[in-house]
Amino acid sequence: MLGSMKLDEIDIRILSALQREGRITKLKLAEKVNLSATPCWERLRRLEKQGVIAGYHATLDLSQLARFTLVLTEISLHRHQQADFKRFEQTMQETDEVLECYATGGGIDYLLKVIARDVDHYQRLIDRLLTLDVGIDRYFTYIVTKPIKESREVPLTALMGKEHLPSEEKLS
Amino acid sequence: MLGSMKLDEIDIRILSALQREGRITKLKLAEKVNLSATPCWERLRRLEKQGVIAGYHATLDLSQLARFTLVLTEISLHRHQQADFKRFEQTMQETDEVLECYATGGGIDYLLKVIARDVDHYQRLIDRLLTLDVGIDRYFTYIVTKPIKESREVPLTALMGKEHLPSEEKLS
DNA sequence: CATGAAAGATCCCGATG
DNA sequence: CATCGGGATCTTTCATG
């Protein structure tokens, strides 16, 4: 839901800082957003309690951990009833290898980002989905040959800059 | 690089826990992985120093922050020389709205995940890229109508389970 | 690796201006 | 919102088994 709470510029700075440094100290955070510790801490607690900050996560450098393959998969379903969508989406939620899944307009129904040990692992995963009969009609596989960018930071200022910050309303 | 360091099962548990709870206390972490505080702390520091843990980040609930639109974009370049790829990839790195970018085999050259305020913002971004002349030949736009899943946690056990953990080598 | 200890930093929460 | 505490907790290191 949008608008359940108004965020001012300081809140945005707090959120931006925490996107970058999830384990920054509360004192350093306050300093970075030009606020004293107590009010900064209160804002932070509010943002966490409201769920604006959904959580904190370590980001791993997978390339140091294991061989793996990223795959992007376009999927179309047989039928397009609510129950069909729901069933497919539920399966995606439960499949750990599916890192991301988006419903789209335009020809295909879903696009997935899948991580697997290798192409064989990926293919077995797809085969399992097909035999599970979750409604897949056609699928198309793009193997990722090179990950160029994987950002964990949403560009808050670009998204909120124009309409959310108090523009010149009531400038006397 | 793979294999610069061997990770045992405890390391994997540490990493998994930190993917889930990036701000967990070091004491609770030790407890969760069944290790006493000191050696757990040493492992953690090693993992951070090596860069296996690339960083810690707060995850935001964007839906509470602003209206936005996710777009998936397939892109083909005119020419396929190294310099062409490099130039395009450099531009992607510098464009905040591009959250993810992957080079793929199979017809298209790149697939992007873009975040914008709305479709108009997205289109202006694309127009800018086209006039910037970064080598784009054709592009295809999929508007995300519904984000189904956006996981920040890599399924470590699924990826490492079979080949990385010490299998039955030298079993007597 | 487990335990224990101890100095220093951080956290949380008041009270006050 | 700023400043100032202070007790609880967490962090980091070291010594010992």
Side-chain angles (χ1 to χ4, degrees):
Chain A
M1 292 299 126
L2 209 165
S4 51
M5 174 64 55
K6 345 158 181 194
L7 306 180
D8 62 13
E9 219 233 308
I10 295 181
D11 290 317
I12 301 302
R13 284 210 297 270
I14 290 176
L15 295 173
S16 292
L18 287 172
Q19 280 197 109
R20 255 181 235 265
E21 287 187 71
R23 271 194 117 154
I24 191 177
T25 273
K26 291 178 172 59
L27 234 73
K28 284 180 186 156
L29 176 64
E31 184 179 331
K32 185 164 285 188
V33 302
N34 290 317
L35 207 63
S36 59
T38 307
C40 181
W41 181 80
E42 280 162 357
R43 281 165 182 267
L44 177 55
R45 192 159 62 105
R46 178 172 58 86
L47 293 169
E48 287 175 342
K49 208 154 250 171
Q50 275 187 237
V52 175
I53 296 173
Y56 299 91
H57 305 277
T59 300
L60 309 183
D61 179 5
L62 261 190
S63 66
Q64 289 192 49
L65 284 174
R67 263 158 219 270
F68 67 98
T69 301
L70 286 175
V71 185
L72 304 167
T73 310
E74 296 177 350
I75 289 187
S76 301
L77 299 189
H78 282 116
R79 284 155 300 158
H80 291 173
Q81 303 307 305
Q82 276 222 333
D84 303 316
F85 292 132
K86 185 174 176 185
R87 183 182 193 186
F88 177 81
E89 293 170 10
Q90 182 67 35
T91 305
M92 293 304 98
Q93 295 291 355
E94 294 165 354
T95 305
D96 290 343
E97 288 93 339
V98 175
L99 297 180
E100 303 182 31
C101 173
Y102 303 98
T104 73
I108 66 171
D109 291 323
Y110 295 100
L111 195 139
L112 317 183
K113 182 171 94 178
V114 179
I115 189 166
R117 286 190 297 280
D118 47 42
V119 175
D120 187 62
H121 179 192
Y122 168 74
Q123 196 54 50
R124 277 201 303 258
L125 179 66
I126 291 288
D127 288 344
R128 187 165 62 81
L129 290 175
L130 290 173
T131 61
L132 260 183
D133 197 27
V134 290
I136 297 177
D137 179 24
R138 286 169 297 126
Y139 73 95
F140 192 84
T141 294
Y142 295 99
I143 302 287
V144 171
T145 54
K146 186 180 176 190
I148 308 300
K149 182 177 189 178
E150 293 194 77
S151 172
R152 265 108 185 105
E153 296 173 40
V154 162
L156 289 181
T157 51
L159 287 181
M160 317 192 53
K162 306 293 198 267
E163 58 219 45
H164 209 85
L165 294 184
S167 38
E168 293 79 350
E169 38 181 79
K170 300 186 180 175
L171 252 190
S172 94
Chain B
M1 295 300 131
L2 210 167
S4 51
M5 174 64 57
K6 349 162 177 191
L7 306 179
D8 62 12
E9 219 233 306
I10 296 180
D11 290 316
I12 302 302
R13 284 210 297 270
I14 291 176
L15 295 173
S16 292
L18 287 172
Q19 279 197 110
R20 254 183 235 266
E21 288 186 70
R23 270 195 117 153
I24 191 176
T25 272
K26 292 178 171 59
L27 259 139
K28 284 179 185 156
L29 176 63
E31 186 178 330
K32 184 163 286 189
V33 303
N34 290 315
L35 206 63
S36 58
T38 307
C40 181
W41 183 83
E42 280 162 358
R43 282 166 181 267
L44 177 55
R45 192 159 62 105
R46 178 171 59 86
L47 293 169
E48 287 176 342
K49 209 153 251 173
Q50 273 186 239
V52 175
I53 297 172
Y56 299 91
H57 305 277
T59 300
L60 309 183
D61 179 6
L62 261 190
S63 68
Q64 289 192 49
L65 283 175
R67 264 159 219 270
F68 67 97
T69 301
L70 286 175
V71 186
L72 304 167
T73 310
E74 295 176 352
I75 290 188
S76 302
L77 300 190
H78 281 117
R79 283 157 299 157
H80 291 173
Q81 303 308 305
Q82 275 222 333
D84 302 316
F85 292 132
K86 186 174 176 185
R87 184 181 192 185
F88 177 81
E89 292 168 12
Q90 182 67 36
T91 305
M92 294 303 99
Q93 295 291 356
E94 293 165 357
T95 306
D96 289 344
E97 289 93 339
V98 174
L99 296 181
E100 303 182 32
C101 175
Y102 303 98
T104 72
I108 66 170
D109 291 323
Y110 295 100
L111 196 138
L112 318 182
K113 182 171 93 178
V114 179
I115 189 165
R117 287 190 297 279
D118 47 40
V119 175
D120 188 60
H121 179 191
Y122 167 74
Q123 196 55 52
R124 278 201 302 258
L125 179 65
I126 291 288
D127 288 344
R128 188 164 61 81
L129 290 175
L130 290 172
T131 61
L132 260 185
D133 196 26
V134 290
I136 297 176
D137 178 25
R138 287 169 298 126
Y139 73 96
F140 191 84
T141 293
Y142 294 100
I143 302 286
V144 171
T145 54
K146 186 180 176 192
I148 308 300
K149 182 177 190 179
E150 295 194 77
S151 173
R152 263 107 186 111
E153 296 174 38
V154 161
L156 289 183
T157 51
L159 288 182
M160 317 192 52
K162 305 293 197 268
E163 56 218 48
H164 211 84
L165 295 184
S167 38
E168 294 80 350
E169 39 181 79
K170 300 187 182 173
L171 251 191
S172 93

